[in-house]
Amino acid sequence: MIPRVNIPRFFHKALRQPFYALRVGWKRLEAYRCFIRGSGPAPAPESVTLFLTHRCNLRCRMCGQWGESGVTKHVLPAELKEELTPEVMDDLIEQFKIFKPNVTLFGGEPLLYGKIIPLIRKLKAAGLHLLMITNGSLLSQYAPELAGSGIDEINLSLDGDEELHDRIREHPGLFRKIAEGVESIQRLKRESGKKKPLVNLQCTINQWNYRQLERLAAVAKALDADSLTFHHLIYLSEGVYRKQEEVFYDDFGCDSPGWKGFLFSPGIDPAVLIPKIREVKRRVRGIPVDFYPAFGDKEITEYYTNPDFRSRSYSAHCLSPWTCGYVFSDGSVKPCLNLPYVFGNIREERFLEIWNGEKAGNFRRRLKERKNYPACFRCTEFYRY
């Protein structure tokens, strides 16, 4: 279902894409019914994230993959290069036609995937809602093709204005390059009379930008963005990570290496952040702006000061494995971006057979019994459903 505190966020999305919102609402209702029954099966997923590649051309400090604590830096070169072939993707798209999931392209940097534009066109030809999450560094190169590809949304990661973004990403000239790409897409949309792709700015609140969040609000207006979302920082304490490792290993015989990339101190003073959030909400007009998860002041304070934080405004149950699947660059299907537990592999089985296979059912039943795992309260997907 849709958490009560997320309703304003969902309402803004529904205004921009009503048929998409209606389909999402119906699929979440189906997923919730299966969750209540609790026997393990789930309806065909509302969304599927395609993790196209581990490769990325940036080293953003706070990134759990390639950042200062990132785990992908320790992945073997052969694994880094592994990507699904066009033939495997074609077969997967044919399967998607059966249940029409919303598809998200992710990575790494998805624009580094070798056949990205043909893949986008095929996904849209199959009638699927398509969103891409990108660092924007290659937007100017791909702007004409993206503007004409039919892709529905581009979620663009930015940390602030030119000075702030380039300093955090440690990449001089990056902001200007991104802005040129966005401006090209917006111009091509106007010339063709199209409203899509929507360009959504996404900002991770971090220790280097939280005192200047209003800078990105000005950028959103200048780039004619369709929305602006500030995401609370994902991080873990050593204690929570150890608990996650112990509990998850007891249940499934594997650890949680993906979460190790988020082992750091947030460096954020909530007494400064909370007034800054109020200021941004007060100053921004004409663009939907939200802070996600939609914590209140007390929860924001606890989130950044209490390692064992538990939200009171959201459900204690993780519903993501009933609604969203993740297909990785080696073909593995997983319930979460940061867990190693594998439901199956699309190179060996069909997606829906994997989705409701024995391993998937076992995982959902155990998760429902536990409600959540120690790291769940630091995961954005936990607060989405």
Side-chain angles (χ1 to χ4, degrees):
M1 294 297 287
I2 300 166
R4 179 180 55 81
V5 291
N6 286 357
I7 289 176
R9 173 185 171 90
F10 186 80
F11 176 73
H12 284 302
K13 287 180 177 287
L15 288 177
R16 292 184 297 157
Q17 303 179 84
F19 295 110
Y20 164 70
L22 183 63
R23 188 168 66 248
V24 164
W26 176 254
K27 287 195 172 186
R28 289 192 189 179
L29 180 60
E30 287 185 306
Y32 189 69
R33 286 172 178 166
C34 283
F35 170 79
I36 293 298
R37 295 189 190 106
S39 57
E46 166 197 325
S47 64
V48 175
T49 294
L50 300 180
F51 191 98
L52 296 178
T53 179
H54 286 285
R55 294 180 296 133
C56 188
N57 54 349
L58 298 182
R59 298 294 180 265
C60 307
R61 295 182 181 184
M62 59 287 184
C63 177
Q65 296 182 55
W66 287 105
E68 294 177 350
S69 304
V71 294
T72 311
K73 294 188 292 187
H74 308 292
V75 172
L76 294 174
E79 187 177 345
L80 285 179
K81 294 178 181 178
E82 192 165 26
E83 296 176 357
L84 293 174
T85 65
E87 292 75 22
V88 173
M89 284 295 191
D90 288 348
D91 182 64
L92 186 60
I93 292 170
E94 286 299 313
Q95 296 176 51
F96 284 171
K97 289 179 181 179
I98 299 171
F99 60 99
K100 300 287 186 180
N102 303 315
V103 176
T104 297
L105 303 179
F106 190 49
E109 171 49 50
L111 286 175
L112 289 175
Y113 178 72
K115 302 290 184 181
I116 185 63
I117 298 301
L119 175 62
I120 289 173
R121 288 173 177 155
K122 289 174 182 178
L123 287 164
K124 287 309 302 175
L128 305 175
H129 182 277
L130 183 61
L131 178 151
M132 179 174 65
I133 300 172
T134 175
N135 62 35
S137 60
L138 299 173
L139 274 184
S140 57
Q141 176 182 333
Y142 284 101
E145 293 165 293
L146 287 171
S149 67
I151 188 170
D152 296 279
E153 301 183 69
I154 296 174
N155 280 12
L156 173 61
S157 298
L158 281 177
D159 296 318
D161 61 8
E162 184 169 2
E163 183 277 328
L164 190 56
H165 184 75
D166 288 357
R167 174 158 51 87
I168 293 174
R169 302 286 170 123
E170 298 181 321
H171 198 303
L174 176 61
F175 179 92
R176 189 66 252 154
K177 194 174 182 180
I178 294 169
E180 289 171 359
V182 174
E183 288 163 359
S184 293
I185 290 173
Q186 302 291 38
R187 174 178 54 79
L188 290 165
K189 284 164 56 179
R190 288 192 297 271
E191 291 174 355
S192 64
K194 295 179 180 178
K195 294 184 178 180
K196 293 184 178 181
L198 302 178
V199 177
N200 307 309
L201 301 192
Q202 309 279 308
C203 175
T204 297
I205 298 170
N206 59 68
Q207 62 179 297
W208 301 284
N209 72 358
Y210 79 100
R211 296 175 184 271
Q212 296 101 16
L213 298 181
E214 74 282 355
R215 294 192 189 183
L216 192 57
V219 170
K221 290 184 179 180
L223 294 179
D224 196 21
D226 291 281
S227 70
L228 171 60
T229 299
F230 293 91
H231 292 265
H232 286 291
L233 182 69
I234 301 175
Y235 75 97
L236 285 184
S237 68
E238 286 280 356
V240 172
Y241 178 69
R242 285 196 299 270
K243 291 177 185 176
Q244 173 69 28
E245 291 278 89
E246 293 168 5
V247 173
F248 201 76
Y249 190 88
D250 285 345
D251 281 357
F252 300 108
C254 53
D255 54 15
S256 305
W259 279 109
K260 201 167 187 177
F262 298 99
L263 274 175
F264 52 78
S265 175
I268 292 173
D269 181 356
V272 174
L273 175 60
I274 291 169
K276 185 61 66 173
I277 290 174
R278 293 197 192 111
E279 178 187 348
V280 170
K281 288 181 176 179
R282 184 175 64 251
R283 289 176 57 173
V284 176
R285 294 290 183 270
I287 302 173
V289 58
D290 65 302
F291 288 78
Y292 178 78
F295 296 141
D297 292 355
K298 289 184 179 179
E299 286 191 310
I300 291 173
T301 299
E302 288 185 35
Y303 185 83
Y304 288 106
T305 59
N306 179 8
D308 297 312
F309 168 79
R310 298 288 186 272
S311 174
R312 294 180 299 278
S313 55
Y314 286 87
S315 168
H317 292 276
C318 178
L319 297 177
S320 183
W322 281 262
T323 58
C324 182
Y326 297 88
V327 179
F328 281 74
S329 56
D330 62 352
S332 59
V333 178
K334 300 180 182 180
C336 177
L337 278 173
N338 297 310
L339 294 178
Y341 187 84
V342 176
F343 287 173
N345 195 296
I346 60 167
R347 289 169 169 167
E348 301 166 3
E349 300 175 81
R350 295 181 66 79
F351 180 88
L352 287 180
E353 293 172 356
I354 296 170
W355 180 247
N356 274 319
E358 181 179 358
K359 293 189 72 175
N362 289 341
F363 183 87
R364 294 190 189 102
R365 282 189 290 272
R366 187 62 180 133
L367 176 59
K368 187 179 180 184
E369 291 171 2
R370 283 198 176 273
K371 296 185 179 180
N372 53 68
Y373 285 94
C376 286
F377 289 95
R378 299 293 174 179
C379 174
T380 54
E381 292 304 300
F382 182 79
Y383 300 102
R384 194 174 304 279
Y385 305 106

